[in-house]
Every structure is written in structure tokens, then in C-alpha cells.
Amino acid sequence: LTLEFVVTDDIAGVKSVEALLDGKVVTNGQKIDLYTLALGEHTFIVNAIDKAGNASTQSVAFSVIATVDSLKAAVDRFYQDGSIKSKGLYKELMEELNHASYTSNLEHVSEALREFIHEVKEKRGRLITTKAADLLIADATWVIVHLPDTEAPYIKIQSPHAERYTQSQSLRLSFSAYDEITGVKQVTAVLDDVPLMNGQKINLRALSLGSHTLTVTAVDYAGNTSSKSVTFKVVHRK
């Protein structure tokens, strides 16, 4: 990316110009290696003052994203500059990205990219430099969480069961959530509207006799939400 801008003032003339990229001073014509920018939103601002003291500002917001094709380009670049030190690893990584390119099944795309991430982590610091590995992991993760996922996460509640528990019994919450495309971003649980944590031990003596409901809610990175509930009863010790 080459930064380019023009500042003119036909009356008083331009006194000073300042250009900022995400708050850091840059110059006109400066080339920016997009690999050095974080994924997401960035802002380029040009401030100018004329000789009469009038000031003006112009800004442009742009996004840096990742795609499977950009990952291929990154792997190729890192192999060429020596950041990927093995031809065999280079071929393996490109093969995994090709798998992601050739399928229209989003679950298979996600699976291929997760395999790619796993392979990069395994070789990080050995056959691939730490800097290059971290960039590839971040880019592949970005692609995964931005896949066009319309499926809500799957929730499984292992404990409690929909049955009766005596006050003397021990109960430990156990639940999990899965999403095969973008992955699970957040999981929350409430027992009778009281927030609780996975693995938390419940003192059944502190619960009133009768029915109680555990509700688990999961949200994936695409914003899809699912909930699952289990109702159980607390009864007197026999």
C-alpha cells in the first residue's frame, strides 16, 4: 500500500501538513507493508494548515483482511525470504490451503484451516520463524471466524440430568459447546437465572425443594446463538 495525498491552497498557500496512520506520523508516498498492520480497521488522516492559519482535516478508514488466497501468498513469501525453512513444510502448508480453496463446504474449509494452524504451531520457532508463524496463525484464525456461518453452536449438557436429586447428593455442572465453522466465541450458563461456571459444584442443600433449570447459551463468531436447558428436581433425603 502506497500512501498518496495532495494538499493545495490557492489563496494563502500551505504552511504545514501532517499525515498520520493510526496515530503514527507517515509521509506522502510512503509504502506500507500490510503484513505489518494488524487485521481490522485502520485510519489514515491528513491535517493541513495554510499560511493564514486555517486548518483542515481529511481522513480515510480502511480494513486489512485475510483470505485463503492471501494466506497462500504469505506462505509463498515466507518460503522465499527464508522464514519457512523447509520445502517439505512449505508444500504441506500450501496443500492444506489448497484443500480450503477447493471445497465449498464451510465445515471442510474450517477444518483445513485448523489443520493449517496446528501445523504452523507445531513448527513454530523451528522450521518457521516465530514472527512468520504468529502472522499466519492470526490470519488463518481471522479467516475462520469470518466464514459465512449460519449454523448455531451445538450444546451438550452432561450434568445435571433431567432427574431427581436428593439434598444429600453432590452435583457438579458439566456442559460443552461446539461449532464446526467459525467456532464458539462465548458460553454462559444460569441456574434459575443465577450465573454459574462450567465445572462449578452445586450445594443442593442451598437449593429449595422442587424444580430447578440450568440453561446454557452459546454464541459463535458469526453471531449465531443457541440455548439448551435441563430441568431437575431437588427432593428430601429418603
Side-chain angles (χ1 to χ4, degrees):
L1 174 66
T2 300
L3 303 178
E4 293 184 90
F5 56 90
V6 176
V7 179
T8 60
D9 188 293
D10 294 333
I11 301 176
V14 178
K15 180 180 179 181
S16 64
V17 178
E18 179 187 54
L20 304 170
L21 177 59
D22 297 334
K24 296 182 179 180
V25 176
V26 290
T27 59
N28 196 9
Q30 181 174 337
K31 291 185 177 181
I32 304 296
D33 186 349
L34 293 181
Y35 285 107
T36 65
L37 296 183
L39 294 165
E41 294 288 330
H42 297 272
T43 304
F44 177 54
I45 299 175
V46 178
N47 299 312
I49 301 175
D50 67 16
K51 294 178 181 177
N54 301 303
S56 63
T57 298
Q58 190 72 258
S59 65
V60 174
F62 64 95
S63 297
V64 176
I65 67 170
T67 64
V68 174
D69 285 340
S70 73
L71 277 166
K72 289 181 182 179
V75 169
D76 191 63
R77 168 178 170 165
F78 293 146
Y79 178 63
Q80 296 299 328
D81 70 15
S83 297
I84 295 176
K85 306 171 186 179
S86 162
K87 186 175 183 179
L89 176 59
Y90 166 75
K91 289 183 175 180
E92 286 178 22
L93 295 178
M94 290 299 285
E95 183 177 354
E96 286 160 358
L97 293 176
N98 285 332
H99 288 163
S101 294
Y102 297 153
T103 178
S104 59
N105 185 306
L106 294 178
E107 291 185 11
H108 292 168
V109 173
S110 182
E111 181 181 2
L113 290 173
R114 292 180 198 280
E115 286 295 324
F116 174 86
I117 291 172
H118 176 75
E119 188 70 22
V120 172
K121 286 181 177 179
E122 284 285 311
K123 304 301 189 297
R124 180 181 182 272
R126 297 187 293 117
L127 295 181
I128 179 171
T129 64
T130 299
K131 183 177 179 180
D134 289 346
L135 188 147
L136 291 174
I137 292 168
D139 281 16
T141 301
W142 194 96
V143 175
I144 290 172
V145 301
H146 287 83
L147 290 171
D149 184 3
T150 59
E151 297 293 327
Y154 167 76
I155 297 172
K156 183 177 181 180
I157 298 177
Q158 291 94 347
S159 177
H161 300 292
E163 60 186 42
R164 292 185 175 189
Y165 294 86
T166 65
Q167 289 180 313
S168 61
Q169 285 182 277
S170 176
L171 175 62
R172 189 178 296 276
L173 301 183
S174 178
F175 53 85
S176 53
Y178 308 92
D179 188 274
E180 297 297 332
I181 301 178
T182 58
V184 177
K185 181 179 182 180
Q186 183 183 47
V187 182
T188 56
V190 292
L191 178 60
D192 300 336
D193 297 325
V194 177
L196 296 174
M197 301 291 291
N198 192 19
Q200 185 170 336
K201 188 174 181 180
I202 306 300
N203 180 7
L204 294 179
R205 295 183 185 277
L207 297 182
S208 62
L209 297 174
S211 296
H212 299 273
T213 300
L214 172 72
T215 300
V216 179
T217 301
V219 183
D220 66 18
Y221 280 93
N224 303 303
T225 302
S226 60
S227 293
K228 189 171 185 178
S229 297
V230 170
T231 298
F232 62 95
K233 286 186 176 181
V234 176
V235 299
H236 278 299
R237 178 180 179 181
K238 294 182 180 180

